[in-house]
Amino acid sequence: MTEQAMHGQQLVPVHYHQFRISDEHGPVGPDLRRQHNGLIEVEDGIATILTGIHTGDVDVTVTFHADAPQPGAARWEEIVEVSLHSASGELLVRGLMADLDEELPELSFNGPGDYRLRIHARGRDTAVDLAPDDVTEWYLIQVWPAPAQEAVVLRQSDDYGASIRAE
């Protein structure tokens, strides 16, 4: 596989300020409080991405890498790295209350095992608590196989994330 040889982009439905990453056959990682970084939490075996909008669609792009890539450009307001585990090799981005019209590719592109995910976000301050008709938030998820490590915050600059961290 060449760098970014596989990728996907999809509008993902958001309800109650969140969409999820999960593997139906097992927990994805140890608990990580939402206040830890303001972008992703892991609880009850599911990773939840926290959005500024209450309800609507967000644009999610996923890229796959053989090794750790460079973080996205300066336009990203929040960037957090986490380790997740796929028991079945079916680690997927999912809507909270609705399935995706077309699924993004499985994040566990290398089969069952441990993966590092770098989640980038921008636009979370645009329509906080609203249900906009147009896309106001964008997410980039970079994925590569890697042993489990602690979560790492690479960038924190939006007001929405700051409000979550202050809870």
Side-chain angles (χ1 to χ4, degrees):
M1 178 183 73
T2 60
E3 193 76 9
Q4 293 190 31
M6 298 173 22
H7 71 279
Q9 182 174 8
Q10 175 75 21
L11 293 181
V12 173
V14 167
H15 294 89
Y16 301 102
H17 293 280
Q18 57 191 289
F19 65 93
R20 294 182 167 177
I21 299 171
S22 64
D23 183 326
E24 291 182 2
H25 300 282
V28 298
D31 285 355
L32 177 66
R33 297 178 349 269
R34 62 186 284 137
Q35 294 86 353
H36 172 271
N37 61 65
L39 178 59
I40 183 170
E41 73 174 327
V42 181
E43 187 174 72
D44 298 329
I46 296 171
T48 302
I49 310 299
L50 308 170
T51 66
I53 65 170
H54 181 277
T55 305
D57 290 329
V58 296
D59 185 295
V60 176
T61 299
V62 177
T63 61
F64 302 93
H65 308 268
D67 297 303
Q70 291 297 315
R75 68 181 181 181
W76 298 102
E77 297 160 345
E78 300 273 321
I79 305 174
V80 175
E81 278 185 18
V82 296
S83 291
L84 296 182
H85 179 79
S86 178
S88 68
E90 297 177 12
L91 188 63
L92 295 169
V93 174
R94 306 172 191 274
L96 176 64
M97 299 175 67
D99 291 329
L100 305 183
D101 291 337
E102 295 178 30
E103 287 188 355
L104 285 161
E106 291 175 354
L107 301 182
S108 47
F109 66 92
N110 212 32
D114 293 321
Y115 292 85
R116 193 73 172 161
L117 281 72
R118 185 179 296 134
I119 295 108
H120 304 67
R122 66 182 166 91
R124 294 193 311 165
D125 291 340
T126 305
V128 174
D129 297 331
L130 301 178
D133 292 329
D134 297 322
V135 172
T136 60
E137 295 183 33
W138 293 264
Y139 295 83
L140 167 64
I141 304 173
Q142 296 173 316
V143 184
W144 63 97
Q149 304 171 45
E150 293 292 319
V152 175
V153 174
L154 300 175
R155 184 173 302 145
Q156 293 178 321
S157 65
D158 69 20
D159 292 335
Y160 186 72
S163 71
I164 292 171
R165 291 185 293 276
E167 289 180 1

